Amino acid sequence: MTPKQEAALETFDRRMKEAVGRTHEEYELLRASAHNSLERMQFIGELVDESGIVELLEKWESQDRKSNAGRKPLFSYRAIVILLWMHKEAGDDRYKRIAQTLYAQMTPATRDYLGIPNLRGDQRDWYGRYWRAMNRILALTRPWQINRKVHATPEMYKAALATYSQEKRDRMDELMNKLIHAPIHRLPTDIRATYAGNVAIDATLIEVVGEPNPNAENFEAKRLNLDPTSGRYRRGGRHDGRGGKKDRAGYEMETVVTIPNSPDAPDSFPVITTGLAFHQPGRIKHGPRIAMNFHAQEFSERGLILADRAYNGSKPHRFQKPTREMGFRHVFDYKTTQAGVQGVIGDVIFIGGRPYVNYMPPNLRTIREDFKARRIDKEAHDARLKSLDAYQLTDKGVPDADGRQRFIYPDLTKVACFDPATGKLLTGRQKPKTQATFLLSPDSPSRMQIIKHLNRFQHKSQKWRAWYGMRSHVESNNQYVKADAETDLGNPEKRRPRGYEFQALSAALAFAVSNMRRIVSYIKSQAMKDLDEKTLRRARRRTDEYGNRLKHHDE
């Protein structure tokens, strides 16, 4: 084995021990062990303890408790979350499956670790015990109070909406994000230090069993799903179902994921979920901002946010302004009607999300319109975008805490300038003079509309295409979590309990499990740059009595 390979193996072992407290071989053995093994339970228990979730649940219970009357709970909050997490890790967290574990697959050591007494009873008894225990958590985070045993009438649904608790919904947001952040805290220090602050955001369907309810604006129709607060999802548009035959019942999980540091370095940082928010399909007024807030609490680095048209369509005070105040800049896609001139402030015109001096040739103002109308081909389109660069103002730093940003004017002595009103060439003394910088502030409705569409790169330019293409990381991450080979989040049959609170908790746990796996997978992929699979396996297997790896026979 070469010195380079030895160094790679040492780095691999160090990173694995930082992340999971084990070598990769030991971790794979743990993953392959029985879902209810003590070692596996202890590993999950460490993550639960580090997350701070138990203390949070106990605090909320204390706030809601009216008196100390009643029998002592059989399960601690810690035991409930560990049981749910370890079964989500195994791909099946149905109550029936957990009851089976409690009834027939616990050992004295695992019972002692969870603090669960060895009571008499069959699987049905344990089902009821676990059901009551889970309801303690769900009651703390239940935004709407409604009977889920019958299909809600319009009157029942309206009454439920009147019980809405923002406090309990905020609790679920905090609980979900503490779950996914627990594995992130295990990210090896040297990998964590390389993060440049870039993220992608998207929402994904969390389907529930049954027929979809009437759309959100219909308060007069009977609810068709026993989960009355679930929404109606459609594939296109903003995903808010309108009554189509292919509409599905469910919620949406807003997900923020880290992405590589640049398009040229696709393996420069792992793709992990760092912010979550849960809402009905298409109801994205607040969810994106909430998810970004939780990402920003975990990571101090500020880079780019990659987002599709749905987010660009948000009202700017709900998404664009708050995220710019955090220090982020955006890479948006637009509708065709939004990609041209987006506003003018003094001698600065905004086209395709970028600021330019308003003295470019007339044909550079209508590039996208001309291309869509087929007046120019793609080659001419790209050539004009490149010509537009000479008139572009460049970013001076990042947005400040108020969302304001300065831009530096280009040198107009090096370009041809044209009168914006007449289109005539300006020469000699007619040539305009500009200030050194331009300040864009969110201090008026017209400027807010410009900020709404502001883009880090010219829309459809080569740089924009390279960066926006990395938005696929958030979509592939969502599909990864839903796969039946992973947590099987995409299977609603494994999430039978009804209600916003259970669906949100179960989905968040799936993303937490995924985060741990993706961190380990990334660590291994980095080691594989210098090591092949055979070398990696052989190096794990043979050690001397002191735990040092034995050399290969040919060394």
Side-chain angles (χ1 to χ4, degrees), residues 87-338:
H87 284 83
K88 180 62 77 176
E89 170 84 32
D92 190 352
D93 59 336
R94 287 176 288 191
Y95 285 16
K96 183 178 180 180
R97 184 71 186 89
I98 297 174
Q100 186 180 50
T101 298
L102 291 167
Y103 170 57
Q105 298 174 353
M106 298 288 282
T107 66
T110 55
R111 286 189 186 280
D112 183 62
Y113 181 73
L114 293 179
I116 299 174
N118 187 14
L119 300 179
R120 299 183 59 158
D122 57 17
Q123 185 170 326
R124 187 172 180 178
D125 293 323
W126 281 106
Y127 183 102
R129 291 162 183 164
Y130 182 75
W131 180 85
R132 288 190 294 273
M134 271 297 297
N135 272 353
R136 288 171 52 218
I137 291 180
L138 301 181
L140 297 173
T141 56
R142 183 174 293 138
W144 297 276
Q145 304 297 324
I146 190 168
N147 183 357
R148 297 189 178 96
K149 295 181 180 179
V150 297
H151 290 94
T153 63
E155 293 71 28
M156 292 171 64
Y157 182 59
K158 290 176 187 176
L161 295 180
T163 68
Y164 178 71
S165 168
Q166 185 61 53
E167 180 186 10
K168 292 192 174 182
R169 191 164 187 177
D170 291 343
R171 287 177 179 180
M172 179 52 75
D173 288 335
E174 188 172 1
L175 183 61
M176 290 192 302
N177 284 280
K178 278 192 174 293
L179 284 169
I180 63 167
H181 289 169
I184 295 173
H185 297 159
R186 297 287 194 94
L187 197 62
T189 308
D190 59 337
I191 294 175
R192 175 67 180 78
T194 65
Y195 182 51
N198 302 315
V199 299
I201 184 170
D202 197 19
T204 190
L205 171 66
I206 306 299
E207 189 174 1
V208 300
V209 173
E211 293 292 316
N213 284 314
N215 62 46
E217 291 77 26
N218 190 342
F219 299 105
E220 303 304 325
K222 183 178 180 179
R223 310 306 283 177
L224 303 177
N225 195 291
L226 286 171
D227 185 345
T229 55
S230 66
R232 192 178 193 101
Y233 176 91
R234 65 184 173 112
R235 183 70 185 90
R238 296 175 66 90
H239 305 315
D240 49 342
R242 305 292 177 83
K245 292 182 179 180
K246 294 184 179 180
D247 289 354
R248 289 183 281 172
Y251 298 90
E252 277 190 311
M253 181 67 88
E254 207 72 51
T255 63
V256 176
V257 305
T258 54
I259 60 172
N261 296 329
S262 81
D264 300 326
D267 59 349
S268 53
F269 199 77
V271 176
I272 48 179
T273 309
T274 57
L276 295 177
F278 203 64
H279 53 74
Q280 291 178 328
R283 309 294 290 274
I284 61 169
K285 286 184 180 179
H286 309 293
R289 184 192 72 252
I290 292 168
M292 281 302 306
N293 271 330
F294 280 106
H295 165 84
Q297 290 173 20
E298 186 64 25
F299 289 90
S300 59
E301 295 83 357
R302 298 293 182 262
L304 304 178
I305 301 175
L306 279 51
D308 65 16
R309 297 175 185 177
Y311 300 89
N312 177 240
S314 300
K315 292 188 176 179
H317 69 276
R318 288 179 177 151
F319 183 69
Q320 289 89 332
K321 183 174 181 286
T323 50
R324 288 184 65 81
E325 288 171 348
M326 295 177 200
F328 291 98
R329 290 174 286 180
H330 304 107
V331 179
F332 283 133
D333 193 12
Y334 302 130
K335 295 178 181 178
T336 303
T337 55
Q338 298 171 331

Side-chain angles (χ1 to χ4, degrees), residues 24-70:
H24 187 266
E25 185 180 39
E26 291 166 344
Y27 177 73
E28 287 299 301
L29 184 62
L30 177 71
R31 284 281 313 276
S33 66
H35 76 281
N36 59 321
S37 69
L38 178 61
E39 188 179 10
R40 195 164 182 167
M41 196 178 286
Q42 288 170 333
F43 174 64
I44 292 170
E46 290 170 6
L47 290 171
V48 171
D49 293 341
E50 292 165 11
S51 71
I53 292 167
V54 175
E55 293 80 4
L56 203 59
L57 291 168
E58 289 172 346
K59 182 183 79 172
W60 293 337
E61 182 185 50
S62 177
Q63 291 171 352
D64 291 358
R65 187 189 299 124
K66 295 179 180 178
S67 74
N68 290 323

